Amino acid sequence: MILELNEQQNMIRNMVREFAEKEVKPKAAELDEKEEYPHEAIKRMAELGILGAIIPQEYEGAGLDHVTYSVIIEEISRACASTGVVTSVHNSLTAWPIIKYGTEEQKKKYLPILARGEKIGAFGGTEANAGSDLGAMQTTAELKGDKYIINGSKTFITSGPKAGIIIVFAVTNKEAGPKGISAFIVENDFKGYGIGGIFHKLGINASLQSELVFENMEVPKENLLGKEGEGFKIALSTLDGGRIGIAAQAVGIAQAALDESITYSMQRQQFGKPISKFQAIQWMIAEMATRIEAARFLVRYAAYQEDAGNRISKEAAMAKLFAAETATWCADRAIQVFGGYGYIKEYPVERLFRDARITGIYEGTSEVMKMVIAGSLLR
Ligand SMILES: Cc1cc2nc3c(=O)[nH]c(=O)nc-3n(C[C@H](O)[C@H](O)[C@H](O)COP(=O)(O)OP(=O)(O)OC[C@H]3O[C@@H](n4cnc5c(N)ncnc54)[C@H](O)[C@@H]3O)c2cc1C
């Protein structure tokens, strides 16, 4: 594995960094405050090919490798973690399972729409009583004629209020446990599809999460993704890749915390000199930078393994576990560098602190990541 980005990857990183700094970062605080979806950034990301980053070119995507994709998510999240997660869910949790498990008809129908950003993607796995234990889901799907009838509800669904294409998981065979779960491509205008309550959260406030409610929802038979009973396998393998996106998001948040700490510590004067001259501050900055670099390499390694076609459950879990802890730790240290100002909403590190916290929870908690890692070692 080559640790340096190649010329094309560097070029894309610079392009995305410039876009994120100019067009995403200036609005991040206001959108967070108003709990407002980043519509403009999403429109621009569609134009720039970011919404179709991992979608093959034959389906109108950019056809990028996963290392480049992880760099994109890091750069967007460095500017705005909410926009980062919307982009990650759209690519990793919606487009990817269609690319991997979809029929040619499904790919032709849905991937160009996702790449063009005409519809935003979402992933409907979690239910009120099925979080870490996704296999305990109770939403049902019953084949009646040429349609599946889906009943139940999902919760905490990122982009739920805005999504147009949703990968929904439901039980088609109650007796079979997780092997009785199937996956479906659902559109938001299907009969019986509804959006439930929208949640108010600690952070990533510009990404909206809601319940999804299915009341005799009619899904055409041809929208079954993979085979009946393959849904749990599809969910787990999709989440493996998704975790690289969330780990990259965490690295972006941590990098933003470091950037802000460096700038502030060189400006803020106490005892007649910039606080960056104090060893206590230098040590925090040095340790933040070291942890971030380590997290970034874990993310790139997991993405590299995905590009190589290898199994990535352990690598993605390690990257997400470490990057999430790094983001939370760095955002906490950044508040310390800022002192009292770090605790005040007008300064950016307060938002970074709130945004960082979710990275150790969604797409599998840190405890679940440790279960995955240990499970792959203790066979
Ligand atoms: C902002 C946000 C966005 C989200 N977006 C989506 C989305 O787009 N799509 C989607 O499907 N879901 C989404 N989720 C759901 C998310 O993935 C779950 O919240 C997460 O997987 C944890 O499930 P839970 O909340 O039910 O917690 P629980 O599973 O109830 O866990 C509670 C605690 O118990 C621990 N725990 C559970 N089981 C074990 C075990 N076996 N061993 C040790 N500890 C354990 C957990 O680590 C945690 O600390 C989102 C959640 C949030 C908050």
Side-chain angles (χ1 to χ4, degrees):
M1 177 193 174
I2 299 164
L3 293 176
E4 288 291 315
L5 296 179
N6 65 31
E7 202 181 322
Q8 195 209 17
Q9 290 167 332
N10 254 319
M11 197 188 72
I12 292 172
R13 184 193 54 191
N14 294 343
M15 183 272 286
V16 176
R17 183 174 291 177
E18 197 186 333
F19 157 70
E21 277 179 6
K22 275 198 192 144
E23 300 184 44
V24 179
K25 192 175 168 188
K27 299 191 181 113
E30 187 190 339
L31 295 178
D32 169 73
E33 181 70 23
K34 292 183 176 166
E35 298 186 8
E36 209 174 289
Y37 205 62
H39 285 290
E40 274 178 48
I42 287 169
K43 192 166 162 269
R44 287 284 293 130
M45 289 196 296
E47 288 164 8
L48 293 169
I50 294 172
L51 292 188
I54 60 166
I55 295 175
Q57 288 176 346
E58 57 189 298
Y59 305 107
E60 298 185 34
L64 298 174
D65 58 81
H66 287 84
V67 170
T68 312
Y69 169 63
S70 74
V71 170
I72 290 173
I73 298 294
E74 179 189 329
E75 291 298 333
I76 300 288
S77 304
R78 186 176 178 181
C80 172
S82 296
T83 309
V85 70
V86 169
T87 315
S88 182
V89 167
H90 183 85
N91 269 288
S92 297
L93 298 193
T94 316
W96 188 87
I98 299 175
I99 297 166
K100 173 84 178 164
Y101 298 103
T103 61
E104 194 50 40
E105 287 70 32
Q106 289 170 341
K107 290 182 198 180
K108 277 193 186 133
K109 183 168 180 191
Y110 290 111
L111 293 177
I113 296 174
L114 289 168
R116 293 196 296 262
E118 281 168 20
K119 291 194 173 193
I120 292 301
F123 179 90
T126 305
E127 297 182 3
N129 294 317
S132 300
D133 185 9
L134 202 57
M137 70 177 62
Q138 286 164 357
T139 294
T140 57
E142 202 184 334
L143 186 60
K144 282 193 178 161
D146 58 356
K147 289 188 176 104
Y148 282 94
I149 305 300
I150 299 192
N151 279 291
S153 65
K154 299 287 172 181
T155 195
F156 293 149
I157 305 308
T158 297
S159 296
K162 301 287 177 185
I165 297 174
I166 308 96
I167 308 296
V168 170
F169 298 86
V171 176
T172 41
N173 178 357
K174 277 185 195 160
E175 277 70 51
K179 288 198 171 150
I181 293 172
S182 302
F184 301 88
I185 307 172
V186 167
E187 294 184 55
N188 62 338
D189 53 6
F190 283 178
K191 198 170 162 213
Y193 177 93
I195 298 162
I198 297 177
F199 296 96
H200 301 286
K201 313 180 296 289
L202 176 70
I204 56 162
N205 288 327
S207 74
L208 304 182
Q209 279 77 16
S210 72
E211 293 171 320
L212 296 179
V213 182
F214 315 129
E215 284 176 13
N216 291 319
M217 179 171 67
E218 296 180 7
V219 178
K221 200 170 132 188
E222 61 270 20
N223 278 36
L224 175 72
L225 184 61
K227 296 196 184 79
E228 260 197 34
E230 277 189 346
F232 195 61
K233 182 187 87 178
I234 293 174
L236 294 191
S237 62
T238 300
L239 286 168
D240 278 345
R243 284 166 190 161
I244 298 178
I246 299 307
Q249 181 203 25
V251 173
I253 297 169
Q255 183 65 50
L258 174 62
D259 297 343
E260 298 292 350
S261 299
I262 291 173
T263 308
Y264 184 81
S265 67
M266 289 168 77
Q267 286 166 358
R268 173 72 173 166
Q269 303 247 346
Q270 287 293 280
F271 298 96
K273 51 173 105 159
I275 60 169
S276 61
K277 297 285 179 202
F278 302 129
Q279 194 182 48
I281 301 292
Q282 291 171 0
W283 284 22
M284 281 195 259
I285 284 175
E287 203 171 344
M288 283 162 80
T290 307
R291 290 188 192 205
I292 292 167
E293 205 68 344
R296 183 175 288 126
F297 282 138
L298 280 177
V299 174
R300 295 238 175 111
Y301 181 65
Y304 165 82
Q305 291 295 350
E306 182 161 25
D307 286 330
N310 295 331
R311 190 139 186 238
I312 53 157
S313 302
K314 183 184 76 181
E315 290 73 16
M318 283 177 166
K320 182 174 179 291
L321 172 65
F322 189 76
E325 286 180 359
T326 297
T328 305
W329 189 86
C330 289
D332 176 70
R333 292 297 81 193
I335 290 192
Q336 202 64 21
V337 169
F338 273 66
Y341 297 95
Y343 205 66
I344 305 296
K345 273 201 178 287
E346 277 70 23
Y347 289 80
V349 291
E350 180 266 352
R351 173 170 49 85
L352 297 175
F353 183 72
R354 290 185 287 104
D355 287 349
R357 194 60 188 84
I358 188 61
T359 60
I361 297 172
Y362 55 19
E363 299 199 25
T365 63
S366 290
E367 291 72 32
V368 169
M369 294 307 96
K370 289 178 194 175
M371 282 164 55
V372 171
I373 297 162
S376 71
L377 297 171
L378 303 169
R379 285 172 197 275

